[in-house]
Amino acid sequence: MDLLESIQSKPLPKHVAIIMDGNGRWAKQRGKLRTFGHENGAKSVKEVVEASAEMGIENLTLYAFSTENWKRPKLEIQTLMRLLVSSIRKEMASLHKNNIKLTAIGSLNTLPSNVYKELTEVIEKTKNNTRMTLTIALSYGSREELLNTIKEISIKVKNNIISPEKIDESIINEHLYTQDLPDVDLLIRTSGEQRISNFLLWQIAYAELYFTDILWPDFKKLDLYDAIIEYQKRERRFGKTSEQLN
Ligand code: IPE
Ligand code: IPE
Ligand code: MG
């Protein structure tokens, strides 16, 4: 049995989320501009998306740009947006061919109009694909998402569409940007930082966390396999005792 088959013989996480961090440091180590790191990070995205689909992961969510990242130098933001448009355009055909559905979460209305247009085209084109849902978190912040959720539910309460007593976890889930996605099972962060940086706070309540020192542009298929293998060794108890699980 090869490595992939052995991974596939055990339960896979249904939803993997990745904080793709370390592009800037990767470039700096090479005496290059941060943007060079982002360009190489895009290659890791392609490899990890393809490896995830091949493995049989149903949902992959990638943190590409946070609400806080708008505070970065203008030139870096411009490069990131340009890279986004060119990657989306370049990968559209292969996403579709691989039966991958693209979606996006975040305050998408704050994106430059060309990015928004390119994104919505691919989302529309791939919406009926079924092998894997690839969600890109763009101008995404978990607190912004929760605020938006609270506002939407409040309006429905005010208009007597929802009664306050009926508000439960499923109503919250339905109003989050991630509404159609299951909870995150495995959260990966590269680059050695051990923090969440405003990513999917509600959705990772019971996720397994996996931190690696590898910088994102160096994170490839085998590194993803390592993360999944580690996940498969964990005992997820969800509050129960170990004995109860067996
Ligand atoms: C991740 O790499 C990409 C984005 C946040 C857009 P960074 O750009 O944060 O790289 P480091 O953390 O500075 O090395
Ligand atoms: C988190 O990385 C956001 C993305 C990976 C898109 P950052 O590099 O922005 O996070 P902090 O600010 O170091 O926590
Ligand atoms: Mg960073």
Side-chain angles (χ1 to χ4, degrees), residues 19-21 63-66 69 72 189 193 195 197:
I19 303 175
M20 311 182 288
D21 197 15
Y63 204 4
F65 195 87
S66 71
N69 288 148
R72 290 195 178 192
R189 182 168 190 151
E193 307 300 351
R195 55 176 173 259
S197 302

Side-chain angles (χ1 to χ4, degrees), residues 20-25 34 38 64-65 69 72 76 80:
M20 311 182 288
D21 197 15
N23 293 352
R25 278 162 283 169
R34 296 178 56 82
H38 297 315
F65 195 87
N69 288 148
R72 290 195 178 192
E76 180 168 348
L80 278 166

Side-chain angles (χ1 to χ4, degrees), residues 32 50 72 87 133 142 206 209 214:
K32 304 273 179 139
E50 286 170 3
R72 290 195 178 192
S87 315
T133 298
S142 192
Y206 252 111
L209 308 181
I214 299 170

